[in-house]
Amino acid sequence: MNTGTLNFAANLSMLYGHLPLLQRPAAAAAAGFTAAEIWWPFDSPLPADRDVDALARALSDAGLQLVAMNFIEGDMRAGDRGLLSVPGRAAEFRDSIDTTVAFADRTGCRVLNALYGNRQPDTDPGAQDELALESLVLAARAAHQVGASVVLETISRQEAPDYPLGNADATVAMADRVNDASGLSNTGFLCDLYHHGRNGEDIPDLLKRHAGRIVHFQIADTPGRGRPGSGVLDYPDFFSRIDASGYDGWIGLEYEPTRDPAVDFDWLPSLTARS
């Protein structure tokens, strides 16, 4: 594929999730990456200093720039898709804000992903949305202090039918609502092409309409959530459009690996990255 001048970052939680956490940065560096993103990497919203220090050291020792990370999102493999709008658990998200922002400041990470959370049975959706707005305003104001952006992402209806940000328009609208409420402009759109493709959304149109709101990209193919070229999505066209748009951020490789680097990254002519 002709990837032009686009910059790719390894998602440590998916590509290297089979490895112990502190071994993942070195594995990504060995594959040729100089940048990485990660889901919430700790066991609690208030991790021990030694755990935070150890991850920061592992990234530094591997020469990896952390370019995006999640606020605490719950157990993703078990079906959680964020906590910030979930009554009884939003406090965990809010407890994670200081740790997330401090770690971002320490590592130079400037994109912080806040997963919205699933609708809960017997809970008023409007009340959940108000709780989400309060949580996100707190996150946006904290992130602003270190020059970071908060991003919201769509999750496909097939994968998370109870997740309310089910398409690009809904996600961007919520980001705009946070900016209005916070008085800031640092909440934007994480465009995960896997989810939009799985939804059957018109990706070329989406990229055109929301170009000014996209802060970060993630990619995988569908079906199967494998590497680009393993499914039906037209990644050569998508990459060309992203490149032509002038996007100068990072594209996170958030797909299921085969664990064979020769296969997992065979679609990349080179691991282009910037320091």
Side-chain angles (χ1 to χ4, degrees):
M1 291 183 184
N2 177 11
T3 57
T5 59
L6 300 178
N7 303 304
F8 296 94
N11 186 291
L12 299 181
S13 301
M14 288 200 70
L15 289 177
Y16 300 103
H18 57 287
L19 296 175
L21 176 63
L22 299 182
Q23 294 179 20
R24 298 177 197 175
F33 290 97
T34 61
E37 61 177 25
I38 196 167
W39 298 349
W40 179 253
F42 307 114
D43 293 334
S44 76
L46 297 170
D49 289 345
R50 64 178 178 276
D51 295 331
V52 175
D53 293 343
L55 180 56
R57 188 164 51 250
L59 289 164
S60 178
D61 289 348
L64 278 189
Q65 170 65 51
L66 187 66
V67 298
M69 70 177 291
N70 286 9
F71 292 96
I72 194 170
E73 70 283 279
D75 187 344
M76 294 276 277
R77 298 288 187 181
D80 287 338
R81 292 296 182 268
L83 305 177
L84 63 90
S85 69
V86 179
R89 300 204 69 188
E92 295 175 56
F93 173 84
R94 296 183 187 194
D95 284 345
S96 83
I97 290 174
D98 285 348
T99 296
T100 307
V101 170
F103 196 73
D105 191 35
R106 178 174 181 173
T107 59
C109 177
R110 292 296 176 262
V111 178
L112 306 178
N113 185 24
L115 289 174
Y116 196 86
N118 294 323
R119 292 296 193 211
Q120 300 298 300
D122 303 319
T123 301
D124 175 29
Q128 277 198 253
D129 289 338
E130 287 305 313
L131 180 60
L133 185 61
E134 293 171 5
S135 297
L136 288 166
V137 166
L138 290 172
R141 288 175 175 163
H144 176 71
Q145 297 301 311
V146 300
S149 296
V150 172
V151 291
L152 303 177
E153 71 170 307
T154 297
I155 297 179
S156 67
R157 292 180 292 272
Q158 297 90 335
E159 187 164 311
D162 296 322
Y163 187 84
L165 304 186
N167 58 56
D169 291 344
T171 305
V172 171
M174 188 64 202
D176 289 343
R177 189 178 174 196
V178 176
N179 285 333
D180 288 343
S182 68
L184 301 169
S185 59
N186 68 329
T187 300
F189 179 28
L190 189 166
C191 183
D192 188 325
L193 295 176
Y194 162 75
H195 289 296
H196 298 293
R198 195 172 182 196
N199 271 344
E201 294 178 68
D202 184 337
I203 289 178
D205 178 64
L206 179 163
L207 293 173
K208 181 178 180 180
R209 286 187 298 110
H210 296 306
R213 304 293 286 115
I214 297 171
V215 176
H216 189 70
F217 280 96
Q218 290 177 330
I219 60 172
D221 217 328
T222 186
R225 200 165 187 171
R227 69 195 188 284
S230 65
V232 301
L233 298 182
D234 189 356
Y235 271 104
D237 178 64
F238 301 163
F239 289 146
S240 178
R241 291 174 186 273
I242 294 168
D243 202 22
S245 75
Y247 175 77
D248 64 354
W250 293 89
I251 298 175
L253 308 187
E254 194 188 36
Y255 52 80
E256 298 287 355
T258 67
R259 304 190 190 180
D260 179 353
V263 174
D264 288 329
F265 310 123
D266 63 0
W267 60 276
L268 274 169
S270 63
L271 293 175
T272 55
R274 59 174 185 210
S275 58

